[in-house]
């Protein structure tokens, strides 16, 4: 018995061929082995959509996503009396929507409400041509107002 071990990426195939050298059996075994290899090759060609996420800073954001309405609007977090400076981190998902917004300010009195966060999170992004797979990214930035 001949044992053939084939591995494509994470797929392992073991093909056992009977060691009888009669023409029909060996041809059958080769056809089955060849068909198995072709099927494995085709299975590896199928791309799965992975939601791989990259951590980037604001200078790299334009490589992946652009704001749908032109400029990211932070005004929802400012008021007339006090201008806050804060650090923001959020994820732009594969649909161009903001998720997981985390804000942290060093000043006392900076405590954004859920409605402010919800309002800010309505802003949307368009993927750039370089980001044709619409890769999700997590962006970190400092917002200095005042």
């Amino acid at each position: 018995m001949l044992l053939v071990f084939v591995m494509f990426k994470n797929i392992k195939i073991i093909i056992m061929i009977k060691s009888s050298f009669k023409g029909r059996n060996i041809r059958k075994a080769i056809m089955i082995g060849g068909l198995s290899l072709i099927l494995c090759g085709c299975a590896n060609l199928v791309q799965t959509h992975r939601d791989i996420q990259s951590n980037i800073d604001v200078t790299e954001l334009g490589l992946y996503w652009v704001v749908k309405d032109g400029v990211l609007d932070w005004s929802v977090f400012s008021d007339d009396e006090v201008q806050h400076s804060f650090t923001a981190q959020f994820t732009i998902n594969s649909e161009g929507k903001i998720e997981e917004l985390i804000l942290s300010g060093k000043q006392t009195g900076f405590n954004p409400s859920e409605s402010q966060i919800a309002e800010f999170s309505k802003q949307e992004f368009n993927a750039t041509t370089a980001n044709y797979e619409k890769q999700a990214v997590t962006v970190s930035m400092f917002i200095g107002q005042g």
Side-chain angles (χ1 to χ4, degrees):
M1 180 179 291
L2 176 63
L3 183 65
V4 179
F5 177 75
V6 181
M7 185 171 163
F8 287 102
K9 290 186 181 177
N10 294 330
I11 300 172
K12 297 175 188 171
I13 298 177
I14 299 173
I15 303 170
M16 291 183 283
I17 302 173
K18 193 174 180 181
S19 63
S20 115
F21 289 100
K22 292 185 180 174
R24 287 186 115 176
N25 289 337
I26 202 77
R27 272 187 256 138
K28 217 184 247 186
I30 291 172
M31 280 182 48
I32 290 171
L35 182 60
S36 297
L37 292 175
I38 290 170
L39 290 175
C40 282
C42 291
N44 283 325
L45 291 176
V46 176
Q47 292 184 358
T48 58
H49 178 70
R50 293 178 280 158
D51 203 17
I52 298 174
Q53 183 175 312
S54 295
N55 292 322
I56 61 172
D57 65 35
V58 69
T59 61
E60 299 170 300
L61 181 58
L63 300 173
Y64 298 89
W65 297 95
V66 292
V67 183
K68 209 174 220 180
D69 295 326
V71 179
L72 199 54
D73 184 9
W74 294 97
S75 65
V76 69
F77 299 113
S78 63
D79 57 38
D80 294 335
E81 297 172 14
V82 180
Q83 298 296 316
H84 297 286
S85 296
F86 53 92
T87 302
Q89 181 177 342
F90 59 91
T91 298
I92 302 170
N93 68 18
S94 61
E95 297 172 357
K97 298 183 190 274
I98 295 174
E99 295 179 339
E100 304 170 20
L101 176 62
I102 300 169
L103 303 171
S104 56
K106 294 182 179 182
Q107 303 152 318
T108 58
F110 180 69
N111 191 17
S113 68
E114 290 296 320
S115 63
Q116 287 174 310
I117 291 172
E119 185 65 29
F120 177 81
S121 296
K122 288 180 183 176
Q123 298 180 83
E124 295 183 3
F125 293 80
N126 290 323
T128 63
T129 54
N131 189 15
Y132 64 91
E133 290 183 335
K134 298 183 177 182
Q135 179 180 350
V137 295
T138 297
V139 185
S140 299
M141 60 183 71
F142 176 76
I143 310 304
Q145 300 179 358

